[in-house]
Amino acid sequence: MTLDPKRTISELKELRELTSNDYGAQRVAWTDIWLAARKWFESKISRLPVEHHHDAAGNSWTTLKGDSPKALLIGSHLDSVPNGGWLDGSLGMLAGLEILRRFASEFNGKPPLTVRLVDWADEEGARFGRSLLGSSAFAGTQTIAADRVRKDRDGITLENALKRCGVDIDRFSEAVRERENAAAYMELHIEQGPVLERLELPLSVVLGTKGVERHAVTFFGQEAHSGSTPMDARHDALAAAARLALEIRKIAGQHTDAVCTMGSLKTFPGIATAVVGRCETTLDQRDLDAEVLAEMLRDAREASIAFAAEERCTVEWSRIWSIEPVPFHPQLIKLCEDAIRETAAIVHRMPSGPLHDAAEVARAGIPTVMMFVQSLYGISHNRIEDTKEEHLELAVQALNRLAMKTADWILEGKYEVTFA
Amino acid sequence: MTLDPKRTISELKELRELTSNDYGAQRVAWTDIWLAARKWFESKISRLPVEHHHDAAGNSWTTLKGDSPKALLIGSHLDSVPNGGWLDGSLGMLAGLEILRRFASEFNGKPPLTVRLVDWADEEGARFGRSLLGSSAFAGTQTIAADRVRKDRDGITLENALKRCGVDIDRFSEAVRERENAAAYMELHIEQGPVLERLELPLSVVLGTKGVERHAVTFFGQEAHSGSTPMDARHDALAAAARLALEIRKIAGQHTDAVCTMGSLKTFPGIATAVVGRCETTLDQRDLDAEVLAEMLRDAREASIAFAAEERCTVEWSRIWSIEPVPFHPQLIKLCEDAIRETAAIVHRMPSGPLHDAAEVARAGIPTVMMFVQSLYGISHNRIEDTKEEHLELAVQALNRLAMKTADWILEGKYEVTFA
């Protein structure tokens, strides 16, 4: 049985049919539709010579045992945001399945190394606001003690939602056991941005996931009557915030691939007839280089202080969240470039702005790489998320090449002859 | 009985005691506390040789009949915003009362012209969102057909709230009858801004009330992931709005006394991880010169269109509200300047940014002028609103001088000798 990328597309459509409605995919982790998606997936592996189990954090592992216990891990997630797209997560799982089939078929059920396919539990964090839940348990970076009391919109705790799906929070940390013999990890994902579409390229190697500095930045001025307060007597908190909203673009612009976003701005009292007395903003900064990230944070902070002073306001910062940049493995990046070049002639190199389970795996010290396939319109987390079918096919082929090359790398060249 | 400005201060404190709580004045129109304030006021005029009645719109008229039916009108309002200040409106009423007393006393109850003191109903519009309600009925510019169905926070209609206070909405327009014989109108008010305090001057003549152009300005961009969307691929609606928030300061700065305010800015979806797809703002522009106001509106609109285009967004404008500038009467402005100069040596000239009942009176074609007394901290509509007592005394003296001069002007010089 040879690799059949068209089957991947067909299966993606089958999953969409099963787990979407008019508003998009509804495979929110720990819900019945998500469980149905997993059950459907298990039906797909039922006739393969594999072992299947859920780990202590609810991650779903499908293992094709090989001559060597050294394991090549291929992962993604079946869960989606509410009203999500048909490819986000699912593509990686079903491409991985196709490659697992290829390994099983080529070697009569016993490849030279072990190949494991993992469906991470709750990548999106859509229901409880905690993303990368299952992969963080695998990586040993989980924060379940704090997360277990999180509640969804109906007041159900994360702990109870997981229990209903067979996950015992008290054993959550035992998922680290799955790291045994893990030699490399790879993940295919849609880009979720406009970069490849603008370049008219199907595929990119992903250099790592950007670090994030996310802060609440609040400017304090003086509420005043819009009619009676002369322009030069104002302490306009919105003016100070507006200057920062524009300055962050210059700050990001000094670095390749860096991004700074003011996603939320709130005015108080927020009425037409009052100068803004308080302005609450959020600042999200991302880069793959930790030094660049620190520099951007410093620049934004200094700019905000200067703007506040010039507008006779004050400013306060508080960190909402941060994560360090996670660069992927240099050798695997090289192999991924080769695989893409052999498949699609031209390879692009880019960091990932969004986080992925791959970042958690890499933090656990396992050599990791990701591959992006072009997204249409740069849109994701929405039912209109889409990718050209020809690009999906190329992605499956390239991921297969990457898997072969990585197997060879894990086995230190012993495998290459077989593959060739 | 001579003019006693200290009595005015004493009565202001008496009213504060009766109608305020720990959060400030609570004389919201059409409420029991407002009715109590009016009843208290009526007790103050009970021994004066005056006629008192409420007109069809609920305005309270106290008339001291003179030899001539030609009437000098002195007006203000007893109503306040919730948690308001002790002087906003009340000062004008109690200073007017003191001047009425002075006229009654000096001429043994029969001055050479008629003097009328009016307490306008619902200047603030705090409960139903319709300010200048009573004075607009007087001026014939009321919009009661639209306003009668307005509801307060408890769902009570304006129509029913007024009925409870004895005002029949169907007869509302009959308040125009009070314009008969009105020869001039004057109003003393706290500045509600920081101008006189910064100049260290107690009093200003008011040149008129600024016209207002108030618009909702909404920028439409493209919501996008903060991590995966490169800076140069964004359609950031907040960036376009931020540029307008800063540009309006340049636009206002080209004209003396003009103001432009962005008081509200809302971001959608308004989350830290998304580039702003839609940004809703309000723009409030004010000037005393209609041409300047039109020019500022044109400038802001053109700037917004340019910014939207440069940010690859679009922009839509919709008018929330507007009112033309109302310049006061040149001869009364001159008399007011003289009165202030004689009282406090130095006179300032400024337009009013906030609206006042005087604007409605002026629109009715009655010669009108206002006088401002310094506010502390530039703050109003707040319990900390305040004015130095020495300035309050000067204000009563200056208003009295203005009343005498205006009476003389109305009577074409026949009165001056008496006053001198």
Side-chain angles (χ1 to χ4, degrees), chain A residues 192 228 234 249 261 311 353, chain B residues 192 227-228 234 249 261 311 353:
Chain A
Q192 299 180 272
S228 67
R234 298 181 175 200
R249 311 196 300 178
T261 306
E311 303 295 336
Chain B
Q192 300 180 273
S228 66
R234 297 180 175 201
R249 311 196 298 179
T261 306
E311 303 294 337

Side-chain angles (χ1 to χ4, degrees), chain A residues 191-195 198 210 214 222-234 236 238-243 245-246 248-249 252-253 258-276 282-284 286 311-312 320 350 352-355 378-381, chain B residues 191-195 198 210 214 222-234 236 238-243 245-246 248-249 252-253 258-276 282-284 286 311-312 320 350 352-355 378-381:
Chain A
E191 182 204 328
Q192 299 180 272
V195 173
R198 294 167 93 201
K210 293 179 182 177
R214 193 175 300 157
Q222 173 65 58
E223 176 185 342
H225 192 294
S226 68
S228 67
T229 313
M231 300 306 286
D232 65 355
R234 298 181 175 200
D236 185 346
L238 174 58
R243 292 176 69 179
L246 299 174
I248 59 171
R249 311 196 300 178
V259 286
C260 293
T261 306
M262 190 176 283
S264 170
L265 186 152
K266 294 177 183 169
T267 50
F268 300 90
I271 55 176
T273 55
V275 175
V276 174
T282 62
L283 181 58
D284 182 275
R286 305 191 187 207
E311 303 295 336
R312 294 174 301 163
I320 297 170
M350 64 185 287
S352 173
L355 283 170
I379 302 263
S380 71
H381 287 191
Chain B
E191 182 204 327
Q192 300 180 273
V195 174
R198 294 167 94 201
K210 292 179 182 176
R214 192 175 301 156
Q222 174 64 57
E223 177 184 342
H225 193 295
S226 69
S228 66
T229 313
M231 300 305 287
D232 65 354
R234 297 180 175 201
D236 185 344
L238 174 58
R243 292 176 69 178
L246 299 175
I248 58 171
R249 311 196 298 179
V259 286
C260 294
T261 306
M262 191 177 282
S264 170
L265 187 153
K266 294 177 182 167
T267 50
F268 301 90
I271 55 177
T273 55
V275 175
V276 174
T282 61
L283 181 58
D284 180 277
R286 304 191 189 208
E311 303 294 337
R312 294 173 302 163
I320 298 170
M350 64 185 288
S352 173
L355 282 171
I379 302 259
S380 71
H381 287 190

